[in-house]
């Protein structure tokens, strides 16, 4: 199945551990992420490498012409040393993998870099990448202000 990736980066006013804690709690993304309307944790554990993970059920609303269509899907977020991963299984065979890396900046704050890979059937790949990129770009624009206000 074909895939496409995109990368985003943003400087943030808080240290890396605070950024990761925020990213790993999808409930905090509701209202920040342009598509997400709900997120509920449904399980947790530790993988074979000793990294903690949390399973979520997420609901987005996708714009389709004048309508917004709800899309419910499972996601697993895994934490690492200064980084985290998200694996999403959306509708119609679409998969998103997101890798976040956070590095503290000299003088304070941190830099977040995200690489998102979308895998989908050829007929829906362009739409899926476009929706994911637009939503993630909007999130990155809002994220510094949200973290500064905490």
């Amino acid at each position: 199945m074909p895939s496409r990736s995109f990368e985003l980066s943003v400087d943030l006013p808080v240290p890396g551990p605070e950024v990761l804690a925020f990213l790993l709690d999808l409930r905090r993304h509701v209202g920040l992420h342009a598509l997400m309307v709900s997120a509920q944790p449904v399980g947790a554990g530790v993988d074979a490498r000793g990294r903690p993970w949390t399973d979520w059920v997420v609901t987005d609303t996708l714009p389709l012409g004048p309508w917004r269509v709800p899309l419910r899907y499972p996601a697993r977020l895994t934490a690492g040393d200064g980084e985290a991963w998200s694996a999403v299984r959306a509708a119609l065979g679409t998969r998103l993998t997101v890798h976040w890396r956070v590095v503290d900046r000299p003088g304070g704050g941190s830099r977040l870099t995200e690489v998102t890979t979308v895998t989908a059937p050829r007929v829906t790949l362009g739409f899926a990448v476009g929706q994911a990129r637009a939503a993630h770009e909007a999130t990155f624009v809002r994220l510094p202000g949200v973290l500064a206000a905490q």
Side-chain angles (χ1 to χ4, degrees):
M1 202 165 326
S3 64
R4 287 190 207 153
S5 297
F6 59 89
E7 182 174 316
L8 303 171
S9 292
V10 63
D11 290 329
L12 299 168
V14 298
E18 287 182 44
V19 174
L20 285 175
F22 182 92
L23 292 173
L24 289 166
D25 185 351
L26 289 181
R27 292 170 294 207
R28 298 173 83 185
H29 295 226
V30 174
L32 173 66
H33 187 286
L35 303 176
M36 191 179 297
V37 295
S38 72
Q40 297 299 319
V42 294
V46 177
D47 71 11
R49 294 182 178 176
R51 299 179 303 197
W53 55 263
T54 305
D55 283 342
W56 297 82
V57 174
V58 178
T59 303
D60 285 355
T61 56
L62 293 177
L64 288 175
W67 304 281
R68 292 195 65 86
V69 177
L71 174 63
R72 188 175 160 115
Y73 57 87
R76 175 170 283 186
L77 274 65
T78 305
D81 184 24
E83 55 191 333
W85 300 265
S86 173
V88 172
R89 290 180 289 133
L92 304 172
T94 300
R95 305 280 188 260
L96 280 85
T97 57
V98 179
H99 178 217
W100 293 299
R101 183 176 196 77
V102 184
V103 177
D104 286 331
R105 291 183 302 142
S110 58
R111 179 148 185 94
L112 169 64
T113 302
E114 171 189 282
V115 176
T116 301
T117 301
V118 180
T119 304
R122 192 168 311 282
V123 68
T124 60
L125 181 62
F127 175 79
V129 170
Q131 291 298 309
R133 184 171 190 124
H136 290 217
E137 285 175 346
T139 299
F140 269 49
V141 167
R142 296 179 192 122
L143 191 55
V146 168
L147 290 173
Q150 292 187 28

